[in-house]
Amino acid sequence: MSEVSETLARSFGLDAEEWGKVLEIMGRAPSLTELGIFSVMWSEHCSYKSSRVWLRELPTEAPWVIHGPGENAGVIDIGGGLAAVFKMESHNHPSFIEPYQGAATGVGGILRDVFTMGARPIANLNALRFGDPALPVTRRVVDGVVRGIGGYGNCVGVPTVGGEVNFHPAFNGNPLVNAMTVGVARADRIFLSAAAGVGNPVVYVGSKTGRDGIHGATMASAEFGAASEEKRPTVQVGDPFTEKLLIEACLELMETDAIVAIQDMGAAGLTSSSVEMAGKGGVGIELDLDAVPQRETGMSAYEMMLSESQERMLMVLKPERAEMARAIIEKWELDYAVIGRITDTGRIVVRHRGEVEADIPLSPLADQAPLYRRPAALPPKPARLAPLERHAPLDRALLTLIGCPDLCSRRWIFDQYDATVGGQTVKRPAEADAAIIRLEGGRRALAMTVDCTPRYCAADPEEGGRQAVAEAWRNLTATGARPLAVTDNMNFGNPEKPEIMGQFAAAIRGMASACAALEFPVVSGNVSLYNETEGRPILPTPAIGAVGVLEDAAQAVGYAARPGLALVVIGATRGELGCSLFLREIYGREEGAPPPVDLAAERRNGDFVRARILAGGVAACHDVSDGGLLVAVAEMALAGDCGVTLEGAGTAEYWFGEDQARYVLAVAEPAALLAAAVAAGVPAQHIGRAVAAKELTLPDGLAISLPQLREAHEGFFPRWFA
């Protein structure tokens, strides 16, 4: 083994203190392969060295949580002997360098995290943030990312059923691509990653290993510079058809008793999967890289250990079941190779061409991984927005808002995704506040959503973190589902800057308070730091993915209004315009405090709304969020292809304020709803009625035709890509 120097270690992302710790653990200078193993396992992406101290503050337990953070994905009991398995992860840096493959392999990676646990994937979602639409590079990135998500998800046969898209100049040069997968498994057949059984074979399954993606985890743990697009070799290349074969092969093998432990080869590839499996099991592992299936000639041990080639799994099998497993895997035309064995040494030993290329004790590799409590400068609380002196007419303001990039129709995007493959999609994009997927063989369904408002988080990260959780809970509730648990994707800038670490800590504090108050534990997640380009950070974006359950899919409601129904708003309206889209799009200002989140009101109002939906008295329900009350009503009218006549206050604060804990319900009998709200101590107000005439009549007497509203809403993306 040839030794390496501190200078090379620095280029691999290890600082002087970390390099000194490597020397102490090894008792010598490491080889190149050993240095590669340390650098990726101690990278921010794999070790969470800047975030672990804060993540511990999140509530992670509830009676329905089967497995919380620490496994490939979170697992919750959804009744009937079934479990939902889900997680969200980022593929941000790769998606700027190579948008199509970056997004596609993000989908592939999160799918593997879920079916590794024994779950069949039933749905994909995504949360996307892009830069200024005026820049040509933004259009290139959007086009590539959307095609990558659709290309991979459609080919692998898993419906893409939900998501969100934001634009802001802070994401120039550093888009966010957060992918979420939800799967279903038998609650008593969950597969874990802890290796066991000295002498058991270590088996490689899937595609061959190439040189793509080497040091992808390290790239994801550093800022971008001016030459970032030159990093294309660090981006993986995906093959969804192989992924489909891998899903079916693994699920078939999981029906047997052959598997002791299983782990996908994600970030850091063979290194992370082997180190984590052996480390969690408290055993050792020996690998013979000569046996690794390779698609390129002359690959070194370093390259094979660090490659992030896609569609690969690592398994520990029972020896007596190895040949049966081989037959199943090869039936699906996948590579199968015994590349090592489990030992009792507590070390990872890597051999290649008769030489020992790495020999590292596993315990200190994990136990002595860097853990930093970095300086955190908590941001000052912003002042509430001063009253605005003048307002645009409601009709002009609504048309501007409903057509802006953050609120316009996403049909151009989701029409590229297959939302119905599998035949179990009950509510697809633009039909409800959360996607609804029926579970095969019964009436039960899962609701799922992704949510975050980065502009709130930039102004007040604690309030923004709280609001992200509350809105996810609200979106599930608005369909009639009972919210169960959360996965998160924490997207922030450089944690070595105290102001960024302060944002992170404050966002966690807000999320934790909301999760506790709403009984909405965090069961899995991902941290993506160093999202900066040439020193400019993204908006802090703690994206929340959430899952809930409906006992009967037929009870789920969407938000399409129908003529003759009355519209009632649930929740109090004060007219909060701080950080609102109205303020940004009409006045060109981004300032003020975001709307405060009253968690007691969220719980009270949401529980009331859910009960009314499940009782059968609500025809449609829509939560009030970006753009405020008038935008919510306009979206209900467009979804139902009907008009609405509104009444009440005529102020912009009332109609465009983004106050939280609010829903618009469409009901046949408003008097009964209003009486029930009074009895429950829930604010409620009748605000209008859906009508057959194709016109939105505003409270100030102005009117907008439905075709005019639809043209404004659906025009942005087709024009942008014309």
Side-chain angles (χ1 to χ4, degrees), residues 37-56:
I37 291 171
F38 273 103
S39 71
V40 294
M41 294 309 299
W42 286 6
S43 69
E44 192 72 61
H45 190 78
C46 291
S47 75
Y48 291 3
K49 57 191 175 185
S50 299
S51 59
R52 293 203 311 272
V53 294
W54 299 107
L55 295 173
R56 293 167 182 163

Side-chain angles (χ1 to χ4, degrees), residues 572-705:
T573 299
R574 294 199 308 173
E576 296 283 352
L577 289 177
C579 295
S580 67
L581 285 179
F582 175 83
L583 186 69
R584 190 181 83 188
E585 298 297 325
I586 305 303
Y587 286 81
R589 293 161 54 184
E590 296 183 56
E591 59 189 87
V597 178
D598 180 337
L599 292 169
E602 288 283 359
R603 186 67 186 263
R604 180 192 64 228
N605 297 357
D607 288 348
F608 173 80
V609 167
R610 189 184 315 104
R612 301 299 299 184
I613 291 172
L614 297 180
V618 177
C621 179
H622 197 9
D623 91 305
V624 181
S625 54
D626 283 351
L629 188 52
L630 191 51
V631 166
V633 169
E635 289 172 344
M636 296 176 78
L638 289 168
D641 194 32
C642 65
V644 169
T645 299
L646 293 171
E647 59 190 48
T651 66
E653 287 85 357
Y654 181 85
W655 290 107
F656 297 115
E658 296 181 4
D659 306 74
Q660 301 295 292
R662 292 185 299 164
Y663 305 78
V664 179
L665 276 57
V667 296
E669 299 180 8
L673 175 62
L674 293 168
V678 170
V682 170
Q685 182 182 6
H686 181 273
I687 59 168
R689 183 169 292 277
V691 296
K694 307 288 187 177
E695 189 172 73
L696 188 64
T697 303
L698 305 176
D700 58 4
L702 298 170
I704 306 172
S705 73

Side-chain angles (χ1 to χ4, degrees), residues 250-265:
C250 287
L251 292 179
E252 182 175 341
L253 187 56
M254 287 166 171
E255 289 298 315
T256 74
D257 63 346
I259 297 174
V260 176
I262 182 169
Q263 174 83 34
D264 79 295
M265 293 191 221

Side-chain angles (χ1 to χ4, degrees), residues 352-369:
H352 187 225
R353 298 173 184 162
E355 297 286 333
V356 175
E357 293 288 346
D359 186 349
I360 304 173
L362 285 164
S363 180
L365 189 60
D367 297 344
Q368 296 184 39

Side-chain angles (χ1 to χ4, degrees), residues 37-181:
I37 291 171
F38 273 103
S39 71
V40 294
M41 294 309 299
W42 286 6
S43 69
E44 192 72 61
H45 190 78
C46 291
S47 75
Y48 291 3
K49 57 191 175 185
S50 299
S51 59
R52 293 203 311 272
V53 294
W54 299 107
L55 295 173
R56 293 167 182 163
E57 296 185 6
L58 293 170
T60 60
E61 297 179 351
W64 52 89
V65 174
I66 298 174
H67 291 289
E71 281 299 333
N72 285 294
V75 185
I76 58 173
D77 190 331
I78 57 173
L82 297 176
V85 181
F86 62 102
K87 188 181 181 184
M88 182 160 53
E89 279 204 343
S90 59
H91 234 220
N92 302 337
H93 286 53
S95 297
F96 177 68
I97 297 166
E98 185 57 66
Y100 184 95
Q101 290 296 349
T105 53
V107 174
I110 197 62
L111 282 166
R112 288 193 298 280
D113 277 341
V114 167
F115 73 77
T116 294
M117 305 284 292
R120 177 170 291 279
I122 63 167
N124 290 328
L125 302 91
N126 51 75
L128 311 177
R129 325 284 170 182
F130 300 110
D132 185 350
L135 300 178
V137 67
T138 303
R139 189 163 56 243
R140 176 184 71 83
V141 172
V142 171
D143 178 56
V145 164
V146 170
R147 285 189 298 108
I149 290 170
Y152 204 100
N154 297 352
C155 291
V156 85
V158 177
T160 301
V161 297
E164 58 175 352
V165 182
N166 295 148
F167 292 86
H168 193 278
F171 299 107
N172 290 346
N174 202 130
L176 302 185
V177 176
N178 296 169
M180 176 178 170
T181 292

